[in-house]
Amino acid sequence: MNVFIAGGTGFIGRALTLRLKRDGHSVTALTRSLDKGRSLLGVEVDLLEASASDEALIAALERADAVVNLAGEPILGGRWDEAKKRRLRRSRIDLTSSLVDAMAKTTSPPKVLISGSAVGLYGNRGDEILTEASRPGAGFLADLCRDWEAAAMKAESHGTRVVLLRTGVVLGRGGGALDQMLPPFRFGLGGPLGSGTQFVPWIHLDDLIEMVAVAIGEEAFAGPLNGSAPNPVTFRDFASGLGEVLGRPAFLPVPKFALKLLFGQASSVLLDSQRVLPKRAIELGFGFRFPDLKSALRDLLLD
Ligand SMILES: NC(=O)c1ccc[n+]([C@@H]2O[C@H](COP(=O)([O-])OP(=O)(O)OC[C@H]3O[C@@H](n4cnc5c(N)ncnc54)[C@H](OP(=O)(O)O)[C@@H]3O)[C@@H](O)[C@H]2O)c1
């Protein structure tokens, strides 16, 4: 199978590319930098520069059986001023629209589009159980995800199956949230963020990659798909689990006002509560290798 990945150089994209290559698929990655793409993905992945012509993009999509869109300006890192907000939206919504428009111009559109989205769609929902059937929440991230998903869904009108991958906090080695959280925890200076009562919908990177690989191949996967583990935990339990696996105390809370001072509006990513369940994946028989947090953390930090 030929898989076209936008954002293939990213934390999730690199792991997916590796997995697809291992399974014998061909991968073309869309990247803003061919040098970065070559050094991160190696010579066996075809690269297309994001600034390439429409014709080149259409030709690459013509060859693709599946498209996975994981590109996007980092959500954390920098305050959400107007310029950052524009980049966050453009790099997701406009890029998705360009991909969908180009897919429509192929003679035979790709069979499936796995389009990135995030649990941020649900907004701040306390301990309410959230499934794919739950309504979207409010706020900048929720609006961004809703518009991002709407742009992706347009591919359905050209006969492409669309999966909206509502990803939780991805735990893996060599990047992502865990890499950023580990330093204070290793020094025994970690602890809950804010009140610690907010639910964190997390997922082990291996399970997310498996979910994408299965969703590419199985027609039953269509529409919203929560990419999170079946056992979301509160941030307090997340911090104590991380401390326990590392053998370090993890009681030092970071107060809400400090996070707001540091990150401004972007602190909502750390403070909002989303008790998300992967109902659709479970209904479709998807088996999680790491359903509980401790097993995931032990695999990532001790093995
Ligand atoms: N990691 C998580 O925990 C998590 C959780 C929920 C949702 N997600 C979403 O899942 C997607 C992939 O996540 P990730 O962690 O793999 O992200 P990542 O490591 O930041 O990689 C995203 C890729 O997007 C491209 N990109 C970055 N800024 C861009 C911009 N301004 N315009 C166009 N392209 C840009 C980059 O590729 P090039 O430099 O090669 O162009 C980068 O490699 C993202 O949309 C992210 O928001 C991730």
Side-chain angles (χ1 to χ4, degrees):
M1 193 183 269
N2 284 306
V3 184
F4 181 96
I5 307 181
T9 59
F11 170 58
I12 302 170
R14 291 196 302 276
L16 179 65
T17 303
L18 212 66
R19 159 68 191 268
L20 292 170
K21 293 295 294 176
R22 204 187 64 207
D23 289 352
H25 302 298
S26 307
V27 174
T28 301
L30 183 74
T31 173
R32 292 165 303 163
S33 160
L34 294 180
D35 286 346
K36 175 183 171 185
R38 192 55 69 222
S39 76
L40 289 175
L41 301 175
V43 289
E44 287 183 15
V45 171
D46 289 331
L47 298 175
L48 180 70
E49 206 166 12
S51 58
S53 64
D54 289 353
E55 290 70 27
L57 178 60
I58 294 166
L61 291 168
E62 189 79 68
R63 292 189 293 273
D65 302 295
V67 175
V68 184
N69 182 12
L70 296 167
E73 168 86 8
I75 298 276
L76 271 180
R79 294 171 79 88
W80 291 349
D81 57 16
E82 287 311 310
K84 173 86 176 175
K85 283 184 179 174
R86 263 197 306 278
R87 287 200 300 279
L88 288 169
R89 289 182 62 86
R90 262 194 212 140
S91 62
R92 289 180 172 75
I93 301 158
D94 296 4
L95 192 130
T96 302
S97 294
S98 315
L99 284 175
V100 170
D101 288 349
M103 283 163 60
K105 289 181 183 143
T106 59
T107 52
S108 155
K111 289 184 194 59
V112 57
L113 166 64
I114 312 285
S115 195
S117 179
V119 292
L121 176 96
Y122 298 112
N124 186 16
R125 303 285 275 271
D127 61 1
E128 179 184 348
I129 303 255
L130 300 167
T131 71
E132 290 85 350
S134 303
R135 62 175 169 80
F140 173 75
L141 266 193
D143 291 348
L144 166 63
C145 291
R146 208 192 43 231
D147 294 348
W148 192 10
E149 292 192 352
M153 283 310 288
K154 289 192 180 146
E156 270 195 335
S157 58
H158 309 294
T160 297
R161 174 167 60 91
V162 179
V163 178
L164 304 167
L165 186 68
R166 296 178 179 166
T167 309
V169 177
V170 183
L171 305 179
R173 294 187 189 87
L178 203 53
D179 246 22
Q180 298 187 24
M181 290 167 72
L182 274 177
F185 276 86
R186 285 200 195 282
F187 287 108
L189 298 172
L193 302 180
S195 68
T197 54
Q198 72 275 38
F199 276 87
V200 185
W202 61 275
I203 186 166
H204 190 299
L205 180 60
D206 290 359
D207 277 335
L208 184 72
I209 297 305
E210 179 66 19
M211 203 185 272
V212 173
V214 171
I216 287 176
E218 286 190 19
E219 301 229 337
F221 283 78
L225 180 69
N226 288 338
S228 62
N231 294 298
V233 293
T234 62
F235 210 109
R236 190 180 295 136
D237 288 344
F238 189 97
S240 67
L242 189 49
E244 194 183 314
V245 172
L246 290 171
R248 294 277 187 280
F251 306 116
L252 276 181
V254 185
K256 190 171 169 177
F257 78 85
L259 291 168
K260 290 210 157 164
L261 213 64
L262 213 59
F263 297 108
Q265 198 183 353
S267 60
S268 64
V269 179
L270 307 169
L271 295 169
D272 284 357
S273 182
Q274 288 131 356
R275 193 175 189 178
V276 175
L277 295 186
K279 184 163 182 272
R280 194 72 192 117
I282 290 169
E283 276 168 1
L284 292 168
F286 181 80
F288 286 85
R289 265 184 73 204
F290 303 100
D292 66 279
L293 182 69
K294 295 250 183 77
S295 66
L297 291 177
R298 277 196 209 101
D299 175 71
L300 293 168
L301 300 170
L302 301 182
D303 292 355

